[in-house]
Amino acid sequence: MSSPKPSLDDLRIERRPDAPRSSNWSWLAITAIIVASLAGAAFWWHGRADAVEVETVLARQTGGGPADRTVLHASGYVTARRKATVSAKVTGKVTEVLIEEGMKVKEGQVLSRLDDSNTKTGLDIAQAQLESTRLLLEETRALLKQADREFQRVSDLAKVNLSSQSDLDKAESDAMSLRARLARQELDVTTAERTVAQWNQQMADTIIRAPFDGVVTTKDAQPGEMISPVSAGGGFTRTGICTVVDMNSLEIELDVNESYINRVEAGQPAEATLDAYPDWIIPCKVIAIIPTADRQKSTVKVRVGFIKLDPRILPDMSVKVAFQEMSGPATVAVAPAVLVPKNALQSHDGHDIVFIAQNGRAERRAVTIRDTDGTDAILSAGVMAGEKVIADFPAGLKDGAAVKEKKHE
């Protein structure tokens, strides 16, 4: 019996039901995820390498006071109305300095002493001369008393013709001479007393005292140095011991552009902000407008006083002042504004814009400028206080561009 003929069905491969059919698809998915991750990392690294280095400044809040409205901003400095460089009335050598910077002093307190050895010797001589003149005066008084008695006795004898006229004339002349000598010696005593007083004053001038209550801000001399009330001896002679400032006389001096001086008047309320404490708003008022203008700068000086002084306020601090205009009994809320540098602003398509650095990206913002204040611009919309504004950003910076902040050493 012959074997059956082979057919095509004998060549078919039969699959087992339990064989995994999706293993190839799993490997393809894993490979795709790895490739995408690598591409993202490469893109991130490339963007990080191309990030633009920029300078950022925090936007600072300003204004926003109730019941009044800002009409003008100006910049100035804290100054002291009473400030003195304390020196000596005479030229001398410093022997003792009793103060340090920051020390509080009272009026009349001893700050320093000068060498008084020569002055003391002169005072001793003047006192000896005064004592000698007084003794001569007492001697002359005794002689005059005797001469008056002699003249009286001779006068009595002359009345009864027991004394000659020549004896009477001589007695009278002696008394008159002694009386004149007494008058001259009385003047000599007065002169000697004044000489002693002069030397005492020179002794007092070697002691340098505080002219008023205040705080020592600088110490300008040391023991052994020469000091003079005038500039003498070049750099080897000091003209002052120290500088004393009356902290109760602190105020603000501002140079207001003469084009805007009509917005300021005496007694006007104002708000001051120290550059050292940008979040601290200090109530103030205008003391006076100095009635003269600076021809070179086209400005008028304005004095502004603090309503209440504070130890944090120091002389020569930079300060910004917002002059307020009272709107009446009803309170009007003024929207808070923020300060940004002027160099952070640019114009784009007729709009003022700034760039904010946020999460490593530059974000473009349209802003509304309320006013300008020196090197700052006051924005009423577009930026919030505390956001990082890119200052002086490079041309061509686009919204969403990668940026990194400069690190200051």
Side-chain angles (χ1 to χ4, degrees):
M1 183 176 179
S2 64
S3 61
K5 294 181 178 182
S7 65
L8 292 176
D9 291 337
D10 296 335
L11 299 177
R12 182 180 302 151
I13 300 175
E14 293 186 5
R15 298 182 181 275
R16 291 179 300 172
D18 55 346
R21 304 181 58 183
S22 61
S23 59
N24 291 335
W25 289 104
S26 299
W27 281 106
L28 289 176
I30 293 172
T31 304
I33 290 173
I34 294 173
V35 170
S37 300
L38 292 175
F43 179 79
W44 174 84
W45 179 258
H46 178 73
R48 184 176 181 271
D50 294 341
V52 180
E53 192 175 44
V54 294
E55 182 82 25
T56 61
V57 178
L58 286 177
R60 297 179 288 124
Q61 184 169 340
T62 183
D68 44 22
R69 182 168 57 90
T70 302
V71 296
L72 181 67
H73 288 85
S75 300
Y77 296 92
V78 177
T79 60
R81 290 296 286 177
R82 284 217 298 178
K83 176 181 178 181
T85 299
V86 184
S87 183
K89 294 172 63 177
V90 296
T91 301
K93 182 179 180 180
V94 179
T95 59
E96 191 175 13
V97 179
L98 305 173
I99 48 87
E100 295 291 343
E101 293 90 341
M103 179 184 294
K104 293 182 179 180
V105 295
K106 295 291 184 180
E107 181 178 356
Q109 180 177 335
V110 177
L111 307 180
S112 178
R113 290 186 175 91
L114 305 183
D115 182 11
D116 61 356
S117 56
N118 294 338
T119 306
K120 188 175 181 180
T121 301
L123 175 61
D124 292 340
I125 294 173
Q127 288 176 336
Q129 290 175 342
L130 173 60
E131 189 64 26
S132 176
T133 306
R134 284 173 175 170
L135 292 175
L136 289 174
L137 179 63
E138 292 300 321
E139 180 183 1
T140 303
R141 282 174 178 168
L143 293 174
L144 178 60
K145 186 176 181 180
Q146 178 63 28
D148 286 339
R149 289 176 179 175
E150 182 66 22
F151 174 66
Q152 185 64 37
R153 184 167 51 253
V154 173
S155 297
D156 293 341
L157 292 174
K159 290 178 182 180
V160 294
N161 296 321
L162 295 178
S163 177
S164 65
Q165 183 65 36
S166 62
D167 292 337
L168 179 62
D169 292 342
K170 184 180 182 303
E172 183 180 9
S173 176
D174 290 343
M176 291 179 63
S177 176
L178 289 171
R179 191 171 285 108
R181 186 193 301 178
L182 179 65
R184 178 173 59 82
Q185 289 177 346
E186 286 176 345
L187 291 176
D188 289 343
V189 170
T190 302
T191 302
E193 289 175 345
R194 291 179 180 176
T195 302
V196 170
Q198 182 181 14
W199 282 104
N200 279 323
Q201 181 60 52
Q202 291 185 23
M203 284 289 293
D205 291 342
T206 63
I207 301 175
I208 303 172
R209 301 178 181 273
F212 47 77
D213 295 353
V215 176
V216 177
T217 57
T218 62
K219 180 182 177 181
D220 304 318
Q222 297 291 343
E225 293 183 316
M226 292 296 294
I227 188 171
S228 175
V230 295
S231 297
F236 298 100
T237 302
R238 302 287 186 179
T239 56
I241 290 290
C242 64
T243 300
V244 178
V245 174
D246 181 2
M247 291 300 184
N248 293 324
S249 69
L250 294 181
E251 61 181 39
I252 302 171
E253 281 192 3
L254 306 162
D255 286 330
V256 177
N257 191 298
E258 62 183 23
S259 301
Y260 305 111
I261 196 62
N262 59 339
R263 304 183 187 180
V264 182
E265 59 182 342
Q268 181 177 0
E271 290 180 347
T273 305
L274 298 171
D275 288 358
Y277 304 98
D279 298 327
W280 178 31
I281 298 177
I282 310 169
C284 303
K285 69 175 180 180
V286 178
I287 297 175
I289 301 171
I290 308 303
T292 185
D294 189 318
R295 183 184 300 180
Q296 302 297 326
K297 299 189 294 184
S298 298
T299 58
V300 177
K301 185 170 291 186
V302 177
R303 292 173 52 204
V304 176
F306 297 101
I307 300 298
K308 185 179 180 181
L309 290 171
D310 189 279
R312 290 174 288 180
I313 304 173
L314 302 177
D316 298 326
M317 275 187 165
S318 298
V319 61
K320 294 179 176 61
V321 176
F323 294 93
Q324 309 292 324
E325 180 182 15
M326 300 302 295
S327 56
T331 59
V332 178
V334 178
V338 294
L339 287 174
V340 299
K342 282 184 179 179
N343 60 5
L345 293 167
Q346 283 193 12
S347 181
H348 181 74
D349 294 336
H351 298 284
D352 295 312
I353 64 167
V354 299
F355 277 93
I356 306 296
Q358 193 169 15
N359 299 326
R361 298 288 173 179
E363 180 181 337
R364 189 173 66 186
R365 300 268 187 89
V367 296
T368 302
I369 302 176
R370 177 191 293 180
D371 201 352
T372 57
D373 180 12
T375 59
D376 293 331
I378 303 173
L379 308 182
S380 59
V383 177
M384 296 180 63
E387 291 188 306
K388 295 181 178 179
V389 180
I390 300 176
D392 198 16
F393 55 84
L397 184 65
K398 297 184 179 299
D399 188 20
V403 293
K404 58 182 178 181
E405 299 181 38
K406 290 183 179 179
K407 294 183 179 180
H408 299 281
E409 297 295 335

